[in-house]
Amino acid sequence: MTVPDYRSTVILPKTAFPMKAGLAESEPRMLARWKADDLGAQVARARAGRERFVLHDGPIYANGDIHVGHAMNRILKDFVTRTQTLLGRDAPFIPGFDCHGLPIEWKVEELYRKEGRAKDDVPPAEFRARCRDFAQHWVEVQTAQFERLGIAGDWAHPYNTMEFASEAAIVGELLKFAEGGQLFRGAKPVMWSPVERTALAEAEVEYADIVSTQIDVAFEIIEAPACPELVGAYAVVWTTTPWTIPVNQALAYALEVEYVIAEVGSKRLLVAKQLAGAALFRWLGDDADEVMRVIEATAYNGGAPQVPGTAIAGAIARHPMHARGGFFAAPRPFLPGDFVTTDQGTGLVHMAPDHGEEDFLLCKAHGLNPVYAVEPDGRYRADWAWLGGEGSVINAKLNAPDGPICSDLRAAGALLAASQDYRHSYPHSWRSKAKLIYRATPQWFIAIDRPLPLPAPSALSLPPGGGGGSSGDRPPSPYRGEGNATEGSEGEGTLRQTALHAIAETRFIPEKGRNRLAAMVADRPDWLISRQRAWGVPITLFVHRATGEYLRDAAVNARIVAAVAAGGADAWLTTPAADLLGPGYDAADYDRLTDILDVWFDSGSTHAFVTEARLGADQADLYLEGSDQHRGWFQSSLLESCGTRGRAPYKAVLTHGFVLDADGRKMSKSVGNTTDPLEVMKTSGADILRLWVAQTNYTEDVRIGKEILSGTSDLYRKLRNTLRYLLGALDGWSEDEHVPVAEMPELERWVLHRLAELDAELRAAVAAYDFAAYIGAIATFANNDLSALVFDIRKDCLYCDAPGSLTRCAYRTLLNALFGALTCWLAPMLVFTSEEAWSSRLGGVSSVHLQTWPEIDPCWYNAALGEKWNTLRTLRRVATHNIEVLRKQDGVIGSSNEAELGIFLTVLSDRDLLASVDFAELCMVAGVELIYRPEGHQLPPEFTIQIRAKKTAYAKCARCWRHRSEVGTLPDPNLCDRCFDVVGLVPLQAAA
């Protein structure tokens, strides 16, 4: 018997949307189309006048190709702005580039070194021009790389800190601090890089373990009015920075510590009682017997009287190199220090106010000032009596046990021990990786603990205006925490207090960022803003030669800002001083500063010329950067804005972690464990990288690697296949097919209910910036609700029902709503794929990125229906399990269509539940028999429902392959009743 060929009567999905994405090839073409259509301008016009949402971009250093950390950061920002745009808000993104300072300058110095030229041999103007060209090159390169990632923004008009207008705005912000008296010059130790010859801010410092030389040095006590027996004894200090001994000015002790005098050889050595044992082992080496003998003979073991810390008051020692005269011949006083502990060392600390914060403060309080013995390159001054011209002080050979310092101390009989075996964490420059030192230099600071003046209108805003002002200045104080406001001056608290108050009013994502930033602000010193570099915004102050006071005149400041706006930062150096000062001042009375501003002040000021001047907002809605920016941009922006405006520049701060390799290790090119975003885009496409970011819990450190990206690709394929199915199933869709919700079958109405639930989930995720929850909710809906359930159930209807059947039209009406919603919801993450799907259906007439948030009818939400279908899905899973068991029994059945279900029930409501739906259709089986037995016959006592599967005896329809009772009984015995009605009298080709 021949069976007709019914294939032509089956309506199979059709779409040009390919299963294989080919993103690496298709994405650049799409980018080119967006540029040709000026899509960014279209979006801006569409959202013009809407509620504004401002995410202010932290400027990226323009000094090299982007890495995966850059990619994650700006992809997250893109998620924020695109989701806000989707919600209908005007959310412009103005990308920023940090073009000044050490990162750029260091790279340019490297270029000159390759050319055989030292920086000092290059004219400053030429060097600065080279820096500008270098930064501009990388601005253009990075712009293209970020655009390739699908980052939406005003890439034709980004902001960068080296634009003349930007430099003028930065100068204007600095001069606001100056006019308010918040600037001061102080000579105190700061982190200094001898390699880069400049001071560094805390944010430019990283720590790494090193091995240092530790030494014990004896200072002979020559006076001790409170304890005469100390005279002739030696106070022993322990240090891991031998190079600071040539700059020693005093010794510190603790009042509450008990000291003892240990007789070692011919010397009586003063040491803390608790540390005597460990110190003796350092001094006497492995001679344990001698150590024990000395211990037994000292107060450490209850022998000679102890020396309380109070008895050291007023004592004086002399430097081991006192014979060299001059600085070294001066007496070294003992000073009480509350920082002296018995954790390690000797309980006595040598003080070098040039090279330590605690040293500086204690010595300053007792009239001992820095002597500036170490030059910017780390060498001792040529005229220094000991080791003059030697160095650099960070050189291990200088500090080694056999180096010149230890050799001279040994010759003087003052070196008790020296070993190069002390491992500890030490500060390094984050750029050059070279070791840093604390070095006292005259620097400029913004005071953290002086009362702030009340905010007042300034003449420093662009465009510059006129205005007079007073030229006097209160005497600056070098002390941390010492204000310079006159008595009775008005203020809103100090900068520290204002910043802490602003932190309390700011939203933090995650919340732990609040405590971290607050702790940093609470403990931070005054803001060091001066750098001894060539490339950057200068500190535009005129300092009076006689008084040392800087000029505070609003009219002069306005002229300075105007000059920089017209000619850039170089105008400060090239414009005659008389032109800037005006007729009221004699240029011969003033020095023009040549230091440049800390680049963190540059970037901390960007809110003034981006958020405020360009976007017209008082505060950004969000700052979003890595967790390292609590001590960097988040903090510098906060301090700058609080100092000039009395508030934070942001309403919320979002922090993400670092990107690690697949094993959780820090990425390093030398180790070879990096993931290059540019390579990922070349091989897999930007949407894969974007989806990886969307999946991460970015609030912690995240991992990336080949296997992780492979998992991301699997998820991508599932989402893409969902879109492909929708496109194929909607082939030939017409609005004439639209079915009102009230007329839809229950399954479709349940999916609309789930769509309403998903809408609420996604809105909550956007509000929380929880993009992992956002993409996770979409993926769960697409995979579990649609692909594994609805698409599977309704494929029979889609393929085999008559084109005009109510069920098929209702299903296609649902699919039309699903396509619009899912494509729009996925658009912020899968920017290219969503556009590809949208264009595939609409022919490129519009862009998915011009759409707003899908309209979800609140009436779709039906809690009762949702609960009902949760129960039905549970029962379906039980049925599916039983069917699968049957299928695996030596192939009793091949598919669920060959099975029948017997469902035993003991509760009437369960019977009514299953009777209210076509449970056979839901389980895709040949039939379902409901067996109601109130007495619970054949059911285990703990069950009210039991489902059993068996093979059906019904024949299979040749068209839809369903097993139905009527197959074989109709005029066409090959068909079921539904397929017989659809096929009708259409002539069919017979098939064997």
Side-chain angles (χ1 to χ4, degrees):
M1 175 182 175
T2 59
V3 178
D5 186 349
Y6 297 103
R7 286 178 296 182
S8 63
T9 71
V10 176
I11 310 172
L12 296 176
K14 289 191 296 184
T15 178
F17 188 76
M19 182 179 296
K20 183 176 174 59
L23 295 176
E25 296 77 28
S26 65
E27 288 174 347
R29 294 195 296 270
M30 199 168 295
L31 277 173
R33 195 189 87 197
W34 287 343
K35 281 192 174 183
D37 295 343
D38 201 1
L39 180 60
Q42 291 185 53
V43 173
R45 287 194 295 270
R47 299 296 186 272
R50 301 286 191 90
E51 177 188 355
R52 175 67 63 82
F53 181 95
V54 176
L55 186 159
H56 180 38
D57 183 36
I60 183 177
Y61 280 124
N63 66 337
D65 290 314
I66 66 170
H67 55 64
V68 71
H70 295 138
M72 183 176 83
N73 174 262
R74 282 217 165 122
I75 288 173
L76 282 172
K77 291 173 180 174
D78 200 47
F79 290 169
V80 172
T81 55
R82 284 185 184 274
T83 51
Q84 293 297 323
T85 300
L86 187 61
L87 286 167
R89 298 186 177 104
D90 179 13
F93 180 68
I94 302 175
F97 296 93
D98 208 339
C99 300
H100 288 140
L102 191 56
I104 309 296
E105 192 164 344
W106 186 254
K107 288 287 189 179
V108 172
E109 286 185 33
E110 288 180 345
L111 295 176
Y112 275 119
R113 283 194 290 271
K114 290 179 181 178
E115 297 170 3
R117 300 177 69 186
K119 174 186 175 183
D120 293 342
D121 298 332
V122 180
E126 176 190 332
F127 184 85
R128 291 168 67 89
R130 184 81 174 266
C131 289
R132 185 175 292 277
D133 291 343
F134 177 88
Q136 184 59 42
H137 164 74
W138 284 111
V139 166
E140 294 167 4
V141 170
Q142 290 178 355
T143 292
Q145 293 170 345
F146 283 121
E147 284 187 292
R148 177 63 187 85
L149 279 170
I151 311 298
D154 193 355
W155 294 104
H157 309 96
Y159 81 85
N160 71 63
T161 56
M162 68 178 180
E163 293 172 337
F164 288 1
S166 299
E167 291 179 332
I170 294 165
V171 166
E173 293 302 303
L174 170 71
L175 293 176
K176 290 177 184 177
F177 280 98
E179 288 185 4
Q182 298 303 303
L183 300 184
F184 70 90
R185 180 160 54 183
K188 60 183 184 180
V190 296
M191 284 287 191
W192 184 273
S193 172
V195 171
E196 293 143 331
R197 303 188 188 187
T198 188
L200 296 182
E202 182 186 356
E204 298 167 317
V205 177
E206 61 185 19
Y207 289 81
D209 285 348
I210 64 168
V211 177
S212 295
T213 298
Q214 55 176 326
I215 62 173
D216 290 83
V217 183
F219 285 69
E220 184 181 4
I221 302 173
I222 57 175
E223 292 183 26
C227 186
E229 63 191 273
L230 286 177
V231 176
Y234 289 80
V236 183
V237 300
W238 171 85
T239 183
T240 60
T241 53
W243 64 269
T244 60
I245 294 294
V247 202
N248 169 274
Q249 293 199 56
L251 303 176
Y253 67 97
L255 290 168
E256 69 279 5
V257 170
E258 292 289 337
Y259 294 86
V260 294
I261 299 175
E263 295 191 7
V264 179
S266 61
K267 285 187 169 66
R268 294 185 302 130
L269 305 177
L270 182 68
V271 63
K273 176 181 177 180
Q274 287 181 253
L275 298 168
L280 285 166
F281 273 105
R282 290 199 304 273
W283 304 338
L284 298 173
D286 296 330
D287 191 346
D289 291 340
E290 178 62 11
V291 171
M292 293 307 299
R293 187 198 65 78
V294 174
I295 288 176
E296 290 173 358
T298 65
Y300 180 81
N301 200 38
Q306 298 179 1
V307 180
T310 53
I312 301 177
I316 292 175
R318 60 182 180 181
H319 195 282
M321 310 306 291
H322 62 89
R324 294 179 180 263
F327 169 80
F328 297 100
R332 265 49 181 179
F334 282 79
L335 307 176
D338 57 11
F339 52 84
V340 179
T341 69
T342 56
D343 293 339
Q344 60 184 350
T346 64
L348 296 166
V349 181
H350 102 88
M351 295 282 97
D354 285 78
H355 303 295
E357 291 183 281
E358 292 168 332
D359 309 45
F360 173 82
L361 293 173
L362 183 61
C363 289
K364 187 75 175 178
H366 290 81
L368 300 174
N369 296 309
V371 292
Y372 313 113
V374 176
E375 298 279 32
D377 63 356
R379 297 176 182 272
Y380 296 105
R381 284 183 355 222
D383 63 347
W384 202 242
W386 183 24
L387 301 171
E390 298 272 354
S392 167
V393 297
I394 61 173
N395 190 317
K397 292 181 179 179
L398 182 77
N399 297 278
D402 59 352
I405 295 173
C406 289
S407 295
D408 288 349
L409 290 172
R410 191 176 292 111
L415 188 66
L416 300 179
S419 61
Q420 199 166 19
D421 58 2
Y422 185 73
R423 181 174 293 277
H424 60 127
S425 180
Y426 192 86
H428 292 68
S429 165
W430 75 281
R431 178 54 49 187
S432 69
K433 309 305 179 185
K435 290 191 291 186
L436 305 178
I437 62 174
Y438 271 103
R439 176 173 178 261
T441 58
Q443 299 288 347
W444 287 89
F445 299 85
I446 291 176
I448 294 296
D449 294 310
R450 292 179 182 176
L452 287 171
L454 289 172
S458 174
L460 304 179
S461 303
L462 292 176
S470 62
S471 61
D473 187 16
R474 292 182 288 273
S477 168
Y479 294 101
R480 176 183 177 214
E482 181 175 318
N484 67 351
T486 58
E487 184 176 356
S489 64
E490 294 182 322
E492 291 288 347
T494 66
L495 180 51
R496 189 190 310 278
Q497 292 167 342
T498 303
L500 290 172
H501 178 72
I503 290 171
E505 293 185 329
T506 299
R507 177 188 177 193
F508 284 84
I509 307 106
E511 176 61 27
K512 63 184 179 182
R514 182 189 313 278
N515 290 339
R516 186 175 186 205
L517 183 56
M520 290 180 175
V521 171
D523 294 337
R524 68 159 295 135
D526 292 315
W527 187 358
L528 169 65
I529 61 167
S530 53
R531 298 291 185 272
Q532 291 66 49
R533 305 300 294 176
W535 173 233
V537 176
I539 297 180
T540 53
L541 296 179
F542 285 106
V543 178
H544 198 277
R545 291 178 177 173
T547 66
E549 297 175 353
Y550 61 83
L551 181 63
R552 293 198 294 171
D553 186 310
V556 172
N557 291 343
R559 284 193 288 271
I560 294 171
V561 171
V564 175
D570 285 347
W572 170 249
L573 302 174
T574 58
T575 305
D579 292 351
L580 297 174
L581 288 167
Y585 302 98
D586 185 348
D589 293 339
Y590 290 89
D591 288 322
R592 177 169 19 196
L593 295 187
T594 57
D595 287 351
I596 67 163
L597 268 172
D598 171 21
V599 289
W600 292 107
F601 189 94
D602 284 22
S603 60
S605 302
T606 56
H607 66 94
F609 54 91
V610 180
T611 303
E612 296 176 8
R614 188 161 166 182
L615 296 177
D618 291 336
Q619 288 178 295
D621 293 280
L622 185 68
Y623 274 30
L624 188 164
E625 302 297 336
S627 57
D628 57 329
Q629 297 307 316
H630 286 112
R631 66 185 183 124
W633 191 57
F634 293 151
Q635 189 173 159
S636 66
S637 299
L638 174 71
L639 294 176
E640 202 290 322
S641 183
C642 285
T644 55
R645 291 151 177 81
R647 53 164 170 73
Y650 39 67
K651 298 175 184 176
V653 168
L654 188 153
T655 308
H656 63 77
F658 293 103
V659 183
L660 309 175
D661 74 2
D663 297 321
R665 299 174 300 170
K666 182 179 179 181
M667 290 190 181
S668 169
K669 289 184 179 180
S670 60
V671 174
N673 65 338
T674 60
T675 296
D676 185 350
L678 305 178
E679 289 301 317
V680 173
M681 288 190 288
K682 285 181 183 178
T683 57
S684 302
D687 268 0
I688 297 298
L689 203 56
R690 294 176 67 93
L691 186 56
W692 164 74
V693 175
Q695 287 181 280
T696 63
N697 174 16
Y698 63 79
T699 61
E700 304 291 343
D701 290 344
V702 300
R703 300 185 183 192
I704 192 171
K706 289 184 179 179
E707 290 188 9
I708 293 171
L709 288 175
S710 176
T712 300
S713 296
D714 289 342
L715 174 60
Y716 173 81
R717 279 189 289 272
K718 292 176 181 178
L719 292 171
R720 183 179 181 88
N721 285 339
T722 298
L723 295 177
R724 187 171 186 271
Y725 173 87
L726 291 170
L727 286 166
L730 286 166
D731 179 50
W733 161 261
S734 167
E735 285 295 331
D736 293 339
E737 299 179 55
H738 182 81
V739 174
V741 175
E743 299 176 20
M744 286 183 173
E746 212 174 77
L747 176 62
E748 279 69 22
R749 286 187 281 119
W750 171 75
V751 177
L752 291 177
H753 162 74
R754 284 289 297 121
L755 205 59
E757 287 187 319
L758 181 60
D759 174 71
E761 286 184 67
L762 298 183
R763 287 180 182 273
V766 169
Y769 306 112
D770 189 348
F771 303 114
Y774 185 100
I775 200 68
I778 293 176
T780 298
F781 176 71
N783 296 332
N784 298 353
D785 293 346
L786 299 184
S787 297
L789 182 70
V790 180
F791 292 170
D792 210 22
I793 294 170
R794 282 291 186 245
K795 64 184 177 184
D796 173 75
C797 156
L798 182 69
Y799 298 170
C800 299
D801 272 13
S805 78
L806 174 65
T807 302
R808 189 174 191 276
C809 288
Y811 182 50
R812 297 238 299 170
T813 301
L814 170 69
L815 295 182
N816 184 57
L818 285 173
F819 177 83
L822 290 180
T823 310
C824 287
W825 282 335
L826 284 170
M829 282 72 185
L830 302 182
V831 292
F832 297 104
T833 303
S834 297
E835 182 79 324
E836 182 187 2
W838 191 267
S839 298
S840 179
R841 187 170 184 211
L842 301 177
V845 174
S846 182
S847 168
V848 70
H849 301 297
L850 288 168
Q851 310 309 307
T852 54
W853 194 271
E855 292 187 13
I856 304 298
D857 191 332
C859 294
W860 292 354
Y861 180 81
N862 187 328
L865 187 64
E867 184 62 30
K868 173 181 178 179
W869 276 80
N870 285 341
T871 303
L872 289 171
R873 292 184 70 181
T874 300
L875 294 174
R876 183 181 188 269
R877 282 192 290 270
V878 175
T880 301
H881 171 74
N882 281 272
I883 295 167
E884 185 64 16
V885 170
L886 192 64
R887 191 185 68 80
K888 289 181 177 179
Q889 290 177 356
D890 299 323
V892 174
I893 62 171
S895 73
S896 64
N897 282 323
E898 298 178 48
E900 288 183 29
L901 298 177
I903 304 179
F904 300 86
L905 308 122
T906 62
V907 178
L908 189 61
S909 60
D910 291 338
R911 186 190 68 177
D912 295 342
L913 170 70
L914 290 171
S916 69
V917 296
D918 187 344
F919 198 65
E921 179 187 55
L922 185 60
C923 296
M924 297 185 299
V925 295
V928 170
E929 181 183 8
L930 300 180
I931 306 166
Y932 175 55
R933 291 177 175 166
E935 69 279 4
H937 181 63
Q938 293 184 337
L939 269 72
E942 67 270 23
F943 289 100
T944 60
I945 298 177
Q946 188 175 49
I947 302 176
R948 295 175 183 174
K950 67 177 183 178
K951 185 174 181 178
T952 185
Y954 299 149
K956 182 171 72 172
C957 174
R959 179 172 180 267
C960 69
W961 297 359
R962 293 191 307 170
H963 291 256
R964 304 287 293 177
S965 61
E966 70 271 15
V967 176
T969 66
L970 302 174
D972 186 339
N974 302 297
L975 301 178
C976 64
D977 51 6
R978 186 266 311 266
C979 290
F980 180 78
D981 291 340
V982 172
V983 172
L985 300 176
V986 178
L988 299 172
Q989 178 183 354

